[in-house]
Amino acid sequence: MVLAPAALCFALAGCGGVGVSGAATAVGSQLTIYSSLPLQGPSGAISQQIVNGEKLALADVGGRVGSFKVSYVSEDDSNPKSGQWTPGLTASNAKTAADDTTTIAYLGDYSSAATAVSLPLINAAGILQVSPASPYVGLTSSRDAGQDEPERFYPTGRRTFGRLQPGDPAQATAQVKLMAQLGVRRVYVLNDQDPFEVPLAQIVAGDAERSGIAVAGDDGLDVSGGTMFTGEVEKISKSGAQAVFFAGGTEAGTVALWRELHSADPSLLLLGSSTMASSSFTSQLGAAGASTYITTPVLAVSLYPPPAARVLDDYRRVFGGEAGGYALYGYEAMSVVLDSIATAGSHGNDRQSVIDRFFAVRNRNSVLGRYSIEADGETTLGRYGVERVVNGQPAFYRSINVG
């Protein structure tokens, strides 16, 4: 049941309710849940929604699960100067959580690359890790993944990680279904050579071909050091492709590529991965925005189950701002951990027992929808979103069933 706003404010303030800073030191009935996200920079606003969602979920149980008091520690893994997450800070956050004997779960990280840093440390400590994002396929599966993946992320040999955002295979399904809906018969696939993005491009290319969509080309392109792609654009134009799918980040080079592609062929559809679903990217696209479609795990608020509206209403009253799907991902990440502690009963302070209860989640009704956690840590959430660009801003366009 969702607490009244007054009760939420009281709990979040820590007045006998939820602790939100400082690791607890007592052992036994005291538990701590850590969160690590980039709270500054381009992902700062999204991360803050996730953190606030986590706080709301903990406040809903009054900071207690049975006989256990649960504290919450929110850590920032972004560089104060650049605003970007940094491996050193991520590792430091994970080590802090791993070294705290009261830690029962770790919520994070946001990017797949950050999770690749934290997961071995958290796994070595035998702690449950739940990410609201991190879709990289190699974190859970060997399909199109890097060498020794996913095994290299699990030094204990046991799975301790699960994610709520559907992974790369689900996003690839959404992209290929979108192509079919848009009448695409020939696509050119690009990636930015980031090892955490390349597999998505490979899966999309394979799925497209199996669906009867011809792949006109499949290239890796360094967009970090340049802003002119005349040769690549000419090659794509001559390929007869009706669409380009790009898996990568939102550097200045990506913006330049988008603009050049649109200038060369205004009818070319420009399809982007979820890492590109940000206003900092779409606001720079100009006329190319009209041809842009970006897949995202975040749906329109109206498409979530009724309890989501109540959570978002509480969010608005407590934090004084609007929120959407990212807050719900944070809320559910905390909620499923708290329920795993609860269903472990008297063993709720035993790390392995809580891990076992998390992996036993089946047909769970949540603010995100009904889902189960599979043996490899994947969620069965079955819908992905698509955004268009309206007045320079990403706007929800439609949902696609990927289940």
Side-chain angles (χ1 to χ4, degrees), residues 237-251:
S237 296
K238 290 181 178 180
S239 73
Q242 300 162 291
V244 170
F245 169 71
F246 180 80
T250 57
E251 292 87 349

Side-chain angles (χ1 to χ4, degrees), residues 203-279:
I203 297 171
V204 167
D207 286 359
E209 289 186 328
R210 282 187 288 274
S211 298
I213 299 172
V215 176
D218 187 352
D219 294 341
L221 192 63
D222 182 5
V223 296
S224 63
T227 56
M228 291 189 66
F229 305 96
T230 305
E232 188 70 22
V233 170
E234 183 177 354
K235 184 164 58 171
I236 292 170
S237 296
K238 290 181 178 180
S239 73
Q242 300 162 291
V244 170
F245 169 71
F246 180 80
T250 57
E251 292 87 349
T254 307
V255 175
L257 173 66
W258 233 242
R259 285 175 169 270
E260 285 189 49
L261 287 168
H262 181 72
S263 179
D265 182 0
S267 68
L268 187 67
L269 301 178
L270 305 174
L271 314 179
S273 61
S274 61
T275 50
M276 302 164 72
S278 69
S279 59

Side-chain angles (χ1 to χ4, degrees), residues 7-31:
L8 284 168
C9 293
F10 181 82
L12 292 173
C15 303
V18 179
V20 296
S21 64
T25 56
V27 178
S29 62
Q30 172 67 61
L31 306 176

Side-chain angles (χ1 to χ4, degrees), residues 107-128:
L107 306 181
D109 287 80
Y110 182 70
S111 78
S112 297
T115 296
V117 172
S118 64
L119 180 50
L121 296 169
I122 298 301
N123 177 263
I127 296 169
L128 173 63

Side-chain angles (χ1 to χ4, degrees), residues 183-402:
V184 174
R185 298 181 302 278
R186 192 171 178 84
V187 64
Y188 207 104
V189 177
L190 296 174
N191 68 77
D192 68 353
Q193 301 179 346
D194 182 328
F196 294 97
E197 296 289 346
V198 171
L200 173 59
Q202 294 173 335
I203 297 171
V204 167
D207 286 359
E209 289 186 328
R210 282 187 288 274
S211 298
I213 299 172
V215 176
D218 187 352
D219 294 341
L221 192 63
D222 182 5
V223 296
S224 63
T227 56
M228 291 189 66
F229 305 96
T230 305
E232 188 70 22
V233 170
E234 183 177 354
K235 184 164 58 171
I236 292 170
S237 296
K238 290 181 178 180
S239 73
Q242 300 162 291
V244 170
F245 169 71
F246 180 80
T250 57
E251 292 87 349
T254 307
V255 175
L257 173 66
W258 233 242
R259 285 175 169 270
E260 285 189 49
L261 287 168
H262 181 72
S263 179
D265 182 0
S267 68
L268 187 67
L269 301 178
L270 305 174
L271 314 179
S273 61
S274 61
T275 50
M276 302 164 72
S278 69
S279 59
S280 61
F281 172 68
T282 59
S283 63
Q284 302 178 69
L285 297 182
S291 302
T292 298
Y293 298 78
I294 299 174
T295 42
T296 173
V298 176
L299 307 177
V301 170
S302 62
L303 296 179
Y304 290 109
R310 296 196 295 272
V311 170
L312 295 178
D313 183 58
D314 283 334
Y315 186 105
R316 187 180 307 111
R317 298 187 190 191
V318 173
F319 299 108
E322 296 295 327
Y326 290 110
L328 298 177
Y329 272 102
Y331 185 92
E332 177 55 18
M334 176 66 79
S335 292
V336 72
V337 167
L338 294 173
D339 284 352
S340 297
I341 296 170
T343 55
S346 61
H347 298 288
N349 59 352
D350 177 73
R351 290 173 174 175
Q352 188 58 50
S353 294
V354 173
I355 291 169
D356 292 342
R357 297 317 304 164
F358 173 78
F359 278 89
V361 167
R362 297 292 182 272
N363 298 317
R364 174 178 169 82
N365 290 314
S366 77
V367 294
L368 297 173
R370 180 176 293 184
Y371 71 94
S372 300
I373 295 296
E374 299 183 326
D376 60 3
E378 285 287 355
T379 175
T380 60
L381 282 170
R383 287 190 296 178
Y384 226 85
V386 179
E387 293 181 338
R388 300 293 309 276
V389 180
V390 179
N391 296 323
Q393 299 299 308
F396 188 80
Y397 172 56
R398 66 173 60 167
S399 68
I400 295 178
N401 186 357
V402 298

